[in-house]
Amino acid sequence: MIVSQLISGIILTLLCSMALFHILHFTYLYMFAFLLGVCSVFYSLSYSSLLPAIINKSELRKGNSGLEIANGAVQMLGPGFGGMIVQIFSAKLAFLMDAASFFISALFISLIPKTKILLRKSISKNSLWGDVKEGLAFISKEMYLRIILKTYIASVFFIGLYQSISIVYMSKILDLSPGQVGLVVGIGNIGYFACTFLNIRITQKLGLGLTVILSLALYGLGFLVMAIAPANNAAFIFAISSQFIISMGTPLYNINVVTLRQTITPQDKLARVSSVWRVLGRGAAPLGAALGAGLSSFLSLRTVIVVAAIGGILAVLPAVRSKLLRLKNIESIDRNI
């Protein structure tokens, strides 16, 4: 985790330096985005395995919910603040501040007592590939995990495609200023915050399976709203509405799927299953981003957004036709296994 944060900070510092000396090109931006994505996957992989090692299993639901609340607060306030920094000062300062945040994060992580982590570390006699195979085998055996992971991989692919061009789309096609783009992400992420607190009520009302499917479908629906945004004064409202819909899906997915995965998976396999899940799922994002970059070279940005929207909606259709749709709660799984 520390290494991932330090590398991310170094990459952003390098990016800022290149911009300062006017040698930054889109080729470098794509390369840096790829490297930052790699670091993000390693970081996510590490903290999802670390959390069960430092808190009791009975507190995992509370811990996961707390992480989602923190993420929601950051996503709601951070982009707006960043956009204002870009508009008032410069993008270089925003990159530099972002780099500093990664270095500060690495410092805080280093303060976690190492003895606590080592004492509760999972012991495995398998090789690295043996652990990977064990995680894959467990997911393949469990029907609900298998269905959700396949749907998640397909959805994340189109999320990556959308994210690779969304900022450029809002700036060039919708003619939004850096400050407005920041506000779109910041205000739109109120949906993230709201669904973090309403997750239990929504899940009880719709059922666990439908909530998970809906959480992923919301991405495609949000992309569609962005695709039909007019290039006039209404663009800002459409963009905020799109981001609001998109942001609703993240906590609904994260809290429910993590809780489901932790309930189904034995404690001694939890880290391996979570690791495989993170790598396969998040690993689809760079592939989607690469496709987005390629498509945008010969298609209009609006057309590429439409492709992301259609793909995001179609990605959940296999899950709709599966038994996952009829899954009401975690307790019903316990009765079947």
Side-chain angles (χ1 to χ4, degrees):
M1 291 176 69
I2 294 175
V3 172
S4 296
Q5 298 299 77
L6 289 176
I7 292 176
S8 296
I10 292 171
I11 291 172
L12 287 168
T13 302
L14 181 59
L15 191 154
C16 180
S17 301
M18 295 179 71
L20 184 63
F21 291 101
H22 305 289
I23 57 175
L24 186 62
H25 302 288
F26 270 105
T27 302
Y28 297 127
L29 286 176
Y30 292 141
M31 181 181 67
F32 289 149
F34 173 79
L35 293 175
L36 287 171
V38 171
C39 288
S40 177
V41 169
F42 276 102
Y43 177 82
S44 299
L45 170 64
S46 299
Y47 94 73
S48 64
S49 300
L50 177 64
L51 186 63
I54 61 177
I55 65 174
N56 295 324
K57 189 168 184 177
S58 61
E59 300 293 323
L60 282 173
R61 179 185 292 272
K62 186 183 296 183
N64 289 320
S65 297
L67 287 173
E68 289 304 314
I69 292 173
N71 287 336
V74 170
Q75 291 190 34
M76 186 171 64
L77 300 176
F81 178 72
M84 290 300 177
I85 293 296
V86 171
Q87 189 165 1
I88 297 174
F89 298 100
S90 68
K92 302 179 188 66
L93 180 59
F95 281 129
L96 194 59
M97 294 176 68
D98 197 11
S101 72
F102 281 99
F103 293 129
I104 294 172
S105 172
L107 174 62
F108 283 133
I109 295 171
S110 69
L111 298 178
I112 298 175
K114 294 181 176 60
T115 52
K116 187 173 183 179
I117 299 173
L118 291 174
L119 286 174
R120 304 194 53 189
K121 183 172 63 175
S122 176
I123 299 174
S124 173
K125 296 181 179 180
N126 295 331
S127 65
L128 175 62
W129 291 112
D131 285 340
V132 171
K133 290 179 181 178
E134 187 175 353
L136 283 171
F138 185 83
I139 293 172
S140 299
K141 183 182 68 174
E142 295 294 336
M143 178 184 63
Y144 293 117
L145 293 184
R146 184 174 66 250
I147 294 169
I148 294 173
L149 181 57
K150 289 179 180 179
T151 307
Y152 180 56
I153 292 172
S155 296
V156 169
F157 178 84
F158 290 103
I159 291 171
L161 191 158
Y162 171 84
Q163 290 179 338
S164 68
I165 63 167
S166 60
I167 301 298
V168 178
Y169 173 81
M170 286 188 281
S171 300
K172 301 297 183 182
I173 305 301
L174 302 186
D175 197 28
L176 299 182
S177 68
Q180 286 178 312
V181 172
L183 288 174
V184 165
V185 181
I187 297 174
N189 277 332
I190 291 175
Y192 185 116
F193 220 41
C195 281
T196 300
F197 290 101
L198 296 175
N199 173 68
I200 293 179
R201 292 185 180 182
I202 293 173
T203 304
Q204 289 175 342
K205 183 72 173 179
L206 301 180
L208 178 59
L210 180 55
T211 301
V212 172
I213 294 172
L214 176 62
S215 70
L216 295 174
L218 285 171
Y219 287 96
L221 294 175
F223 301 162
L224 186 59
V225 172
M226 184 66 81
I228 64 174
N232 55 35
N233 292 335
F236 186 55
I237 302 301
F238 271 80
I240 289 177
S241 301
S242 169
Q243 184 61 32
F244 184 87
I245 295 171
I246 293 169
S247 70
M248 290 170 62
T250 304
L252 291 178
Y253 174 86
N254 285 346
I255 296 174
N256 285 298
V257 172
V258 169
T259 303
L260 174 63
R261 193 168 65 228
Q262 291 169 343
T263 301
I264 294 178
T265 310
Q267 183 64 43
D268 62 328
K269 291 184 174 66
L270 183 57
R272 296 160 209 169
V273 170
S274 298
S275 299
V276 170
W277 196 284
R278 290 279 182 173
V279 171
L280 292 180
R282 300 293 177 88
L287 299 177
L291 178 62
L295 291 177
S296 63
S297 65
F298 61 89
L299 295 176
S300 69
L301 292 176
R302 191 181 293 274
T303 301
V304 179
I305 295 290
V306 171
V307 171
I310 295 174
I313 294 171
L314 292 178
V316 304
L317 292 185
V320 172
R321 296 170 58 86
S322 72
K323 293 183 179 180
L324 178 64
L325 182 66
R326 298 185 292 275
L327 178 62
K328 294 301 180 182
N329 49 52
I330 292 177
E331 288 72 22
S332 64
I333 298 177
D334 290 339
R335 288 194 293 269
N336 292 331
I337 61 176

